[in-house]
Amino acid sequence: MPVTTAAYATDKLPGESADAVVIGGGAAGLNGALMLARSRRSVVVIDSGAPRNAPADGVHGLLGLDGTPPAELLQRGREEVRRYGGLVVTGEATCAAPAAPSAEGDLRFTVTLTDGSTLSARRLLIATGLRDVLPEVRGLAEHWGHGVVHCPYCHGWEVRDEPVGILAVGPASIHHALLFRQLTDDLIYFTRSTELDEDTRARFAARSIQVVDPPVEEVVTGEDGGIAGVRLSDGRLVSRRVIAVATTTQARTEGLDGLGLPMKDLPGGMGRRFASGMAGTTEVPGVWVAGNATDPTAQVGASAAAGALAGAHMNADLAAADTEAALAAAQRGSNPA
């Protein structure tokens, strides 16, 4: 359910190889680019303009910027990257793959965009984010990001004290319910044929969480355009104003198959992510990954921090490569053939 943001001015691709290309213009990608640009690295951000949080009214839990509209935050980020000489290009990568190394043996990658243009990079930062996959319940998707929420930390305060319904998708929904119970006294758990043992039912009862077992047919829209309730298979309408659902999260991998980046399944069948190590390193030399593409639970602040750490790590790797190249050149100069 990607939502495309408003168009913005795009930079031109450079004619020479960039130190780093960042695929993804969200919080992780832009903060990684900022760290690289501030280290005087040539960096290009490729931004599709479809951030995960585009439907949200504001970014929350981000110190000093709580409530900032997502589009405004990203606009500020692009301006900051450009302030230090970085480039931000509107587009999508259709292919990213290793290329022949430089004459000195340094890594090279080629990134191809949807318009057929290409650029070369010494290092890559993958910050493509993820897609939230909702359960197939009629009427659910149209309220995504407003009456339908997934994160108690991102949206919880805004829906406090509202009648909330949890649409269960599996074991993760049990934890979800306990978190949302902190925010409202009026909470109903729709099992949707998922298993709920007697011990969990007892815990829910102790917290005054009502359990509804009949299947859910649809989410009903009210006259005001918001959620009116949940229609069950027996015809009953259970009044609710907010629906919380733990989405299946899938890292955005389009155009990245050529890199051969390893993936990992999330527990409980809740999706897939790129595998990464310290500071976003991957098993593919020269490629880092940051943000929701590798950490689906990261909010904006955590994603930005991960991007910054990856950017710093990439700069250190480039500095080491520059030193090796300089040493080899110096040795050739002192020992002419």
Side-chain angles (χ1 to χ4, degrees):
M1 298 157 296
V3 176
T4 302
T5 58
Y8 60 86
T10 180
D11 297 317
K12 294 182 179 180
L13 294 177
E16 64 281 343
S17 182
D19 288 326
V21 167
V22 179
I23 303 178
L30 288 173
N31 219 27
L34 182 63
M35 293 293 283
L36 287 157
R38 281 179 51 83
S39 296
R40 307 189 75 176
R41 295 293 177 186
S42 56
V43 57
V44 181
V45 179
I46 306 301
D47 180 17
S48 69
R52 178 190 184 192
N53 61 358
D57 294 327
V59 171
H60 295 289
L62 184 60
L63 187 65
L65 294 170
D66 187 81
T68 304
E72 180 182 331
L73 185 67
L74 296 179
Q75 179 183 348
R76 292 186 194 178
R78 291 191 292 267
E79 290 172 354
E80 289 172 355
V81 169
R82 287 169 167 149
R83 186 184 308 161
Y84 296 102
L87 303 178
V88 184
V89 175
T90 302
E92 294 185 50
T94 58
C95 181
S102 70
E104 296 80 16
D106 190 27
L107 297 168
R108 288 292 186 273
F109 299 89
T110 299
V111 178
T112 304
L113 306 186
T114 50
D115 63 2
S117 58
T118 63
L119 65 160
S120 173
R122 298 174 64 191
R123 304 292 184 270
L124 293 180
L125 173 58
I126 306 302
T128 49
L130 58 78
R131 287 189 178 87
D132 292 284
V133 181
L134 291 169
E136 294 185 4
V137 175
R138 190 165 66 250
L140 184 67
E142 65 191 72
H143 294 285
W144 175 244
H146 299 285
V148 175
V149 300
H150 74 291
C151 174
Y153 303 107
C154 303
H155 315 288
W157 177 263
E158 285 64 41
V159 303
R160 68 193 185 283
D161 298 327
E162 293 280 5
V164 177
I166 303 289
L167 287 190
V169 296
S173 297
I174 296 171
H175 178 62
H176 216 210
L178 297 178
L179 295 178
F180 273 94
R181 178 61 181 83
Q182 175 66 19
L183 300 161
T184 181
D185 294 332
D186 188 354
L187 187 66
I188 294 178
Y189 188 90
F190 298 95
T191 61
R192 297 185 63 249
S193 301
T194 60
E195 293 186 11
L196 198 63
D197 59 35
E198 291 305 314
D199 178 67
T200 302
R201 289 176 183 267
R203 291 175 184 276
F204 278 6
R207 294 300 315 273
S208 300
I209 300 172
Q210 182 182 347
V211 176
V212 173
D213 289 309
V216 171
E217 290 290 331
E218 66 174 321
V219 173
V220 178
T221 300
E223 293 182 358
D224 63 354
I227 293 174
V230 172
R231 181 82 63 188
L232 304 179
S233 60
D234 59 13
R236 283 184 294 157
L237 177 65
V238 182
S239 177
R240 295 289 89 186
R241 290 296 294 170
V242 176
I243 301 298
V245 58
T247 60
T248 300
T249 55
Q250 300 285 353
R252 294 177 175 178
T253 62
E254 294 82 0
L256 303 177
D257 290 347
L259 296 174
L261 292 169
M263 305 286 294
K264 281 192 174 181
D265 290 328
L266 298 175
M270 294 305 291
R272 281 173 65 79
R273 67 177 181 88
F274 285 113
S276 64
M278 183 191 72
T281 53
T282 72
E283 293 181 6
V284 180
V287 181
W288 280 255
V289 61
N292 285 156
T294 185
D295 183 1
T297 65
Q299 292 178 260
V300 171
S303 292
L309 186 59
H313 203 274
M314 293 168 71
N315 179 58
D317 186 65
L318 286 164
D322 292 342
T323 302
E324 290 302 312
L327 177 61
Q331 290 175 339
R332 287 196 301 271
S334 61
N335 297 289

